[in-house]
Amino acid sequence: MAWVAETGDGICGHVFLGLVERLPEPYGDNLPIGYVTNFYVTPPHRNKGTGSALLEALTLHARGAGFESLIVWPSDRSGPLYRRFGFQASAELLELPLDT
């Protein structure tokens, strides 16, 4: 799914939500996880509420759709925005870089 922000000049920002489906397990609720990606606001529209509006729309949709959580790999610049929305660092993620 995608959300866009527009002005009279056209699109000035966008954010995408990818669905991370989970395999059924007997003791879990198996709710989906959302992956926030490809979030961009054009420089003239930054720090004016455009990014917040996009993230708010995405978050409201995810809550209404019954997602368990949202995940994101933020840049240094976008980290404060995500933290204002309640995103927290997780110690649970493990990563295996594949040298391809």
Side-chain angles (χ1 to χ4, degrees):
M1 303 191 83
W3 287 261
V4 297
E6 296 180 282
T7 65
D9 298 330
I11 294 175
C12 63
H14 57 74
V15 64
F16 290 76
L17 175 64
L19 174 65
V20 180
E21 294 188 48
R22 298 170 60 190
L23 295 174
E25 59 179 80
Y27 305 107
D29 51 22
N30 302 313
L31 296 173
I33 295 171
Y35 172 39
V36 181
T37 187
N38 211 12
F39 193 175
Y40 181 77
V41 175
T42 58
H45 296 91
R46 293 178 185 165
N47 301 314
K48 296 180 180 177
T50 302
S52 292
L54 287 166
L55 193 52
E56 177 73 20
L58 181 148
T59 303
L60 286 172
H61 171 80
R63 283 193 173 110
F67 281 58
E68 178 182 293
S69 60
L70 296 173
I71 59 173
V72 67
W73 278 268
S75 66
D76 290 339
R77 180 177 172 80
S78 67
L81 171 63
Y82 289 113
R83 285 190 288 281
R84 283 194 306 272
F85 271 79
F87 283 75
Q88 303 170 4
S90 171
E92 297 178 9
L93 181 67
L94 300 177
E95 179 181 5
L96 172 63
L98 300 174
D99 298 327
T100 55

